[in-house]
């Protein structure tokens, strides 16, 4: 009984010790990562044109409280960056009316199989 308790204590201690070592190693590795405030890295990363991002969604009709929450979500997506476009998969007329105000950044695709 005493031996098994001692083995259990050594096992728990080794788990704690290895966890501490892994945490210390991760802090050390994180400190060695390049700083994004460094001009060399910023110039290299952001010298090219910004990537385009497309968000795909299949919304419910834009009516009632669900519609207002959906429109708020889409407006917030588009507000993140001018490089973002949103593609809505729906056949409901309310989506077309909503999308008219956003030009080419918000498109509605009705020609998909909804079955």
């Amino acid at each position: 009984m005493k031996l098994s308790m001692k083995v259990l204590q050594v096992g728990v201690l080794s788990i704690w010790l290895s966890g501490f070592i892994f945490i210390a190693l991760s802090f050390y590795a994180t400190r060695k990562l390049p700083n994004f405030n460094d001009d060399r890295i910023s110039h290299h990363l952001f010298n090219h044109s910004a990537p385009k991002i497309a968000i795909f969604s299949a919304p419910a009709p834009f009516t009632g409280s669900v519609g207002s929450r959906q429109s708020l979500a889409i407006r917030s997506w588009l507000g993140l960056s001018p490089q973002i476009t949103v593609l809505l998969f729906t056949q409901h007329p309310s989506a077309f009316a909503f999308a008219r105000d956003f030009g080419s950044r918000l498109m509605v695709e009705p020609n998909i199989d909804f079955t």
Side-chain angles (χ1 to χ4, degrees):
M1 187 70 158
K2 257 185 166 180
L3 183 61
S4 65
M5 188 59 112
K6 193 70 161 171
V7 170
L8 182 63
Q9 287 176 345
V10 169
V12 169
L13 181 63
S14 67
I15 290 171
W16 275 88
L17 185 60
S18 62
F20 178 75
I21 290 171
F22 283 130
I23 291 171
L25 184 63
S26 68
F27 281 135
Y28 174 76
T30 304
R31 299 284 298 163
K32 291 296 182 182
L33 289 174
N35 186 357
F36 282 104
N37 292 332
D38 189 359
D39 287 336
R40 293 174 295 129
I41 295 173
S42 298
H43 179 70
H44 175 70
L45 288 177
F46 302 111
N47 192 21
H48 307 290
S49 64
K52 299 274 186 184
I53 298 172
I55 299 174
F56 300 91
S57 179
F62 284 87
T63 56
S65 65
V66 172
S68 65
R69 281 183 273 159
Q70 289 177 153
S71 65
L72 182 62
I74 292 170
R75 289 176 195 275
S76 69
W77 296 340
L78 293 173
L80 291 173
S81 167
Q83 302 297 325
I84 293 177
T85 57
V86 177
L87 181 61
L88 303 177
F89 295 114
T90 183
Q91 294 174 336
H92 199 271
S94 63
F96 292 98
F98 176 73
R100 257 186 243 123
D101 298 335
F102 295 96
S104 64
R105 294 192 59 211
L106 179 60
M107 297 172 280
V108 178
E109 178 54 55
N111 299 321
I112 62 171
D113 185 12
F114 285 96
T115 58

